Amino acid sequence: LTDIIPIFEDKCASCHGGGRDPNLKTNAYDALLNGSTQYVDIANATSSLLYAKINTGGSMATWVTSTERAYILTWIEQGAKNN
């Protein structure tokens, strides 16, 4: 998570910071895993809404690099821990 939160803060929070769901500015972890919309599916990481949005062809794909995308996918695959 220490590698993931800076990605959200740097690349996502300017738009997803309160006016647009998920709110990634105040508590990205809770917004992605405990909000009304399930953005992370640890049982099937590549089907996670978060990953679909940032993956090639997704609506947010241009905002993250391939390295950042890989970090996020690995984080989900490893259980999306809050550590």
Side-chain angles (χ1 to χ4, degrees), residues 8-9 11-25 60 63:
F8 296 142
E9 289 172 345
K11 303 290 180 91
C12 309
S14 63
C15 292
H16 290 277
R20 184 177 294 161
D21 285 336
N23 182 346
L24 301 175
K25 192 168 191 168
M60 300 291 120
W63 294 97

Side-chain angles (χ1 to χ4, degrees), residues 1-12 50-51 54-56 60-76:
L1 189 62
T2 57
D3 293 332
I4 304 305
I5 292 299
I7 296 169
F8 296 142
E9 289 172 345
D10 183 48
K11 303 290 180 91
C12 309
L50 170 64
Y51 186 70
I54 64 166
N55 197 13
T56 304
M60 300 291 120
T62 59
W63 294 97
V64 295
T65 67
S66 59
T67 300
E68 292 165 335
R69 189 176 299 114
Y71 279 145
I72 292 169
L73 179 60
T74 300
W75 172 68
I76 297 169

Side-chain angles (χ1 to χ4, degrees), residues 26-82:
T26 56
N27 191 332
Y29 185 82
D30 280 341
L32 293 170
L33 280 94
N34 301 319
S36 59
T37 300
Q38 178 147 358
Y39 291 95
V40 174
D41 180 357
I42 58 173
N44 190 353
T46 57
S47 292
S48 291
L49 182 56
L50 170 64
Y51 186 70
K53 295 275 189 186
I54 64 166
N55 197 13
T56 304
S59 60
M60 300 291 120
T62 59
W63 294 97
V64 295
T65 67
S66 59
T67 300
E68 292 165 335
R69 189 176 299 114
Y71 279 145
I72 292 169
L73 179 60
T74 300
W75 172 68
I76 297 169
E77 289 173 337
Q78 293 177 347
K81 305 275 190 238
N82 186 11

